[in-house]
Amino acid sequence: MKGIKTLGKYFFYCGIEKEEYNAVKKDAYVSNFVLWRILHYVMAFSFLLLFFASFFNDILGANRYFYVALLGYAIVAIIFFSFLRKDSIVAQFIIYLSITLLMLFGCLITRNNPTVPAASFIAILLITPMFMIDKPFFMTIDLCFASSFFLIWMYHIKPYNIWRIDVSNVVPFTLVSILINIISNSIRIKEFVLRREINIQKDMDELTGLKNKGALTRAINKYLADKTSTKGLMFMLDIDRFKAINDTYGHDIGDFVIAQLGHFLGEHFTHQEIVGRFGGDEFIVFIKNTDDKQEAREIAESIVKGASDFIKLPEDSKKVSVSIGIAIYRGEENNYSEIFKKADTALYSSKASSTERFFIYE
C-alpha cells in the first residue's frame, strides 16, 4: 500500500507533496513556456528545410504536405506564444499538442521505410518527454496513446515480422520513456522547490516571518510599475515608546513584541496585501486597488485596536500602542521611495499628536 502511495505521488506530484507541487507549478509552466517558445522556432526552421528538401528527395517528398502543415502549426504556435501568459494552461496544452505531432512525425518517417524496424519514432518517444515539466500522469497518457497509435497504424503497413520487432521495441521503450519523464520531472521540480525555499528565506524577516525591507521594496515597485495599477494605500506604522519597552523589560521582550505585531499583521491581512517589516519596530502594509480615504481610516483603526488587544506585555495592565502614517497612491508616484516619503511624513505627524494614532498625508 505504501509503495502504491509513493508511486502515485511520483505520477501526480513529481515525488513531492501536493502543497509543494502547487506552490511551484507556475514556475514549471513558465520554464516550459520559455523552452518551448524556442523549440517552436527550431521546429519551424526544421520543417521549412524539410519542405525544400522534399523537392529533391522522393522519400521526403512523400511527406511534403505534412511538412507544410507542421510548418504552419509551428508558426501559429509561435504567434500564440507571443500573446499568452507564461504560466498559461493554454500554453501547456499547445506544448502537449506539439509533442504529439512530433511523435506523429516519427510515425511518418517510419512509414516511409516499412521494411526496417522503427528508430525515429522511438528516438522522439524517448527525447521529447525530457523537455516537459508537468505531472508525469499526463505525459504517460500521451506516450501510451502515441505508442498504441503507432503500433495499430504500422500493423497495416509493415511486414508482420518487422511489426513484431517494433512491438518488442516500442513497448519497453515506452515504459523507459515514462520512467525517464518521472525521474527528470522529479529532479527538476525539486530544483524549483529548493529555489523557492531559498527565495523565501532571502525575502523573509526572521523575527516576524513577514517580508523584509528588500522584498517589500521589490513587491511595491512591481505594483507601481504596472500601468493598470493606479490605486493603493500605504500604511507605515511603528510601536509607540518602543525604546522604553526595551529599557524596562529587556531586548528579548522587545523582540517578542515585534514578533507579536508581525504575527498580528500576518493574520489580519491575508489577501493580496503587501505586508512586511521595514526594520526595527517599523512595519509597512500596502493595500492594492483602493484609494478610498474612509477605507484607509477603517483599516488604520482596525490595526490600532487589533495591535493593542493582540500584543501582550509582562504587566497585563500595560498596553502597547502603534502610530500609523498613511499615503494614498493615485498613480502619481513612480517608485517605492516617493510614496514611502509621504507615509513616513504622515507617521511623524501621527507620533507628534497626543490624540491621533494615525494620520493621512495630504
Side-chain angles (χ1 to χ4, degrees):
M1 192 67 181
K2 185 178 179 181
I4 294 174
K5 187 177 180 180
T6 302
L7 188 63
K9 184 189 291 186
Y10 274 93
F11 265 98
F12 289 99
Y13 303 111
C14 304
I16 61 177
E17 297 299 327
K18 180 180 178 180
E19 293 74 17
E20 284 184 307
Y21 177 85
N22 288 333
V24 298
K25 181 173 65 176
K26 285 189 176 182
D27 294 333
Y29 283 8
V30 170
S31 177
N32 291 334
F33 182 97
V34 172
L35 176 61
W36 279 90
R37 182 170 55 186
I38 297 170
L39 289 178
H40 279 108
Y41 279 102
V42 175
M43 286 172 60
F45 181 71
S46 300
F47 288 119
L48 181 63
L49 288 181
L50 286 169
F51 171 70
F52 285 123
S54 68
F55 290 99
F56 306 99
N57 184 290
D58 292 337
I59 295 177
L60 294 178
N63 297 326
R64 183 177 303 150
Y65 295 111
F66 186 73
Y67 301 148
V68 173
L70 280 179
L71 172 62
Y73 167 80
I75 292 171
V76 170
I78 290 169
I79 293 171
F80 267 98
F81 271 63
S82 300
F83 296 99
L84 291 173
R85 286 173 44 193
K86 289 184 178 181
D87 59 354
S88 169
I89 191 70
V90 177
Q92 290 287 104
F93 173 78
I94 292 173
I95 295 169
Y96 275 113
L97 183 59
S98 299
I99 291 172
T100 303
L101 290 175
L102 285 171
M103 291 180 184
L104 180 59
F105 173 63
C107 293
L108 288 172
I109 294 176
T110 302
R111 186 203 63 176
N112 291 337
N113 200 349
T115 59
V116 177
S120 300
F121 175 78
I122 291 174
I124 294 173
L125 191 74
L126 288 171
I127 293 171
T128 50
M130 297 172 63
F131 295 96
M132 184 65 173
I133 309 174
D134 198 7
K135 295 179 180 179
F137 172 75
F138 295 127
M139 185 59 71
T140 298
I141 293 174
D142 200 10
L143 292 170
C144 290
F145 170 79
S147 298
S148 300
F149 179 81
F150 171 83
L151 292 174
I152 292 170
W153 188 10
M154 292 306 125
Y155 179 78
H156 301 284
I157 293 175
K158 290 192 171 191
Y160 184 71
N161 60 322
I162 302 298
W163 182 81
R164 286 183 61 186
I165 295 173
D166 281 348
V167 172
S168 63
N169 286 328
V170 168
V171 171
F173 276 115
T174 299
L175 297 176
V176 170
S177 183
I178 291 170
L179 182 61
I180 290 173
N181 181 249
I182 291 172
I183 294 172
S184 64
N185 270 261
S186 175
I187 293 172
R188 294 173 70 189
I189 209 76
K190 286 175 182 176
E191 290 177 0
F192 286 114
V193 171
L194 180 60
R195 191 183 308 166
R196 179 174 179 270
E197 290 175 350
I198 292 172
N199 288 335
I200 288 174
Q201 291 176 4
K202 181 183 70 176
D203 292 342
M204 186 178 69
D205 175 66
E206 291 184 5
L207 189 57
T208 63
L210 301 176
K211 293 182 184 296
N212 58 24
K213 181 180 177 180
L216 278 170
T217 304
R218 288 193 299 274
I220 295 174
N221 273 332
K222 182 179 179 181
Y223 181 78
L224 299 181
D226 186 349
K227 300 302 181 184
T228 63
S229 304
T230 58
K231 296 179 181 181
L233 300 171
M234 177 183 276
F235 298 79
M236 186 171 182
L237 56 141
D238 72 2
I239 300 168
D240 296 328
R241 298 175 297 281
F242 182 69
K243 185 177 183 302
I245 294 174
N246 273 332
D247 292 342
T248 303
Y249 303 108
H251 288 278
D252 287 346
I253 297 299
D255 286 347
F256 182 61
V257 168
I258 290 174
Q260 286 183 88
L261 179 55
H263 185 58
F264 164 72
L265 293 174
E267 286 192 340
H268 194 66
F269 298 100
T270 57
H271 299 291
Q272 298 299 314
E273 304 93 344
I274 301 170
V275 185
R277 181 187 176 202
F278 181 75
D281 62 317
E282 293 180 326
F283 290 78
I284 285 176
V285 177
F286 190 92
I287 312 293
K288 302 177 182 179
N289 302 317
T290 180
D291 59 0
D292 186 87
K293 276 189 178 182
Q294 182 57 34
E295 185 176 355
R297 293 188 184 96
E298 291 173 358
I299 292 171
E301 287 172 355
S302 70
I303 294 174
V304 170
K305 184 180 185 306
S308 179
D309 293 340
F310 189 88
I311 300 172
K312 304 299 181 185
L313 289 172
E315 294 180 69
D316 293 337
S317 60
K318 301 290 186 179
K319 290 288 186 179
V320 170
S321 63
V322 298
S323 294
I324 304 173
I326 306 168
I328 299 176
Y329 171 65
R330 293 193 172 101
E332 297 171 356
E333 293 80 13
N334 296 315
N335 55 55
Y336 168 87
S337 296
E338 293 179 16
I339 192 169
F340 171 82
K341 289 176 183 177
K342 294 181 178 181
D344 194 36
T345 301
L347 176 61
Y348 274 103
S349 298
S350 175
K351 293 188 79 66
S353 172
S354 59
T355 56
E356 298 295 330
R357 296 272 53 84
F358 61 87
F359 194 87
I360 299 176
Y361 180 89
E362 298 290 350

